[in-house]
Amino acid sequence: MPDTDLHALLASLRVWAPDATDLRPFDPATAPATPVPLFTDWFADAVAAGQPEPHTMTLATADAAGHPDARIVMLHGADADGWSFASHATSRKGRQLDAHPHAALVFYWPVLGRQVRLRGTVVQAPSDQSQADLHARSTGALAAALTGSQSEPLASLGELERRSREAWTRARANPATPSPTWTLYRLQPLEVEFFQGDPDRRHVRLRYVEEDGGWRRELLWP
């Protein structure tokens, strides 16, 4: 049996162990004027360093009453139009974004001791772009989208298996099958923060703040 004493387990763990983490120097004076190029470089660094699933991120939303929610989703792209992810518009996150179209994203790449945090407004891409995004992905992604009913109560795993098998059959037979509720979302950031961990806890935090159509950069205390 594994040790189930939570406090003992927590005490045994270490953050950024030298044999597992490469804490690199980060000079914010060399950072580009806009956040996307720096994000692209850091993302490429995470991939090259062997970070598992570096394209996964935490998406935080709030419902109409302001109650927060969070989950892990996959990054579909980042450019001047924003950071992209996708889901069904009828899902819980889709309904929350419809009621309150603002969100936050967090990337964490522990192999480099880095985080990237974003806050901003979320907009929906046009339907044709949403469907193109879906059909550019794997057959399994299409089958999952066609299974539908995301976030709704499920009566049994047997029902899920039946619906999933039907969806896989449709996806394999016609890879262009549309999923009308599948939606590509773009978070257009008002803030983007880059966090580089430091072994002496002098962590470097650089924040980009959207201002009059441009970006202002500032350092933050760790």
Side-chain angles (χ1 to χ4, degrees):
M1 288 282 292
D3 189 348
T4 55
D5 184 328
L6 178 60
H7 291 92
L9 286 173
L10 289 171
S12 71
L13 298 175
R14 183 173 179 182
V15 177
W16 303 334
D19 60 344
T21 304
D22 178 14
L23 295 177
R24 302 178 181 180
F26 171 47
D27 181 1
T30 66
T34 60
V36 172
L38 182 56
F39 176 84
T40 302
D41 288 345
W42 276 29
F43 186 86
D45 287 345
V47 172
Q51 174 64 53
E53 301 184 358
H55 55 322
T56 56
M57 57 190 183
T58 299
L59 166 66
T61 57
D63 62 20
H67 299 144
D69 208 346
R71 75 288 288 162
I72 304 298
V73 298
M74 185 183 299
L75 177 70
H76 286 213
D79 53 31
D81 292 327
W83 273 249
S84 302
F85 59 93
S87 184
H88 289 284
T90 51
S91 69
R92 184 171 184 172
K93 70 179 81 66
R95 297 193 302 270
Q96 291 173 348
L97 289 169
D98 183 61
H100 187 78
H102 305 277
L105 299 174
V106 180
F107 295 85
Y108 179 45
W109 300 315
V111 71
L112 295 172
R114 287 176 172 174
Q115 298 181 58
V116 181
R117 304 170 59 221
L118 305 95
R119 300 172 66 213
T121 302
V122 178
V123 299
Q124 294 186 17
S127 178
D128 60 331
Q129 294 182 21
S130 294
Q131 296 305 303
D133 170 79
L134 174 61
H135 295 130
R137 302 178 69 204
S138 66
T139 302
L142 176 58
L146 294 174
T147 300
S149 301
Q150 187 178 32
S151 304
E152 296 299 323
L154 174 66
S156 69
L157 293 180
E159 182 181 0
L160 171 60
E161 181 177 0
R162 178 184 60 80
R163 287 270 294 273
S164 177
R165 287 183 182 274
E166 293 172 353
W168 272 94
T169 298
R170 293 175 63 197
R172 289 183 175 124
N174 182 9
T177 302
S179 177
T181 59
W182 186 259
T183 303
L184 181 67
Y185 294 95
R186 294 191 175 101
L187 184 142
Q188 299 175 337
L190 300 174
E191 298 180 9
V192 185
E193 180 192 328
F194 294 84
F195 172 106
Q196 173 63 67
D198 178 85
D200 295 318
R201 300 302 191 267
R202 292 188 286 268
H203 313 310
V204 179
R205 297 176 63 188
L206 173 65
R207 180 166 62 185
Y208 290 77
V209 181
E210 194 278 332
E211 198 170 74
D212 299 326
W215 293 97
R216 172 172 55 83
R217 290 177 293 173
E218 61 186 9
L219 296 176
L220 301 175
W221 281 89

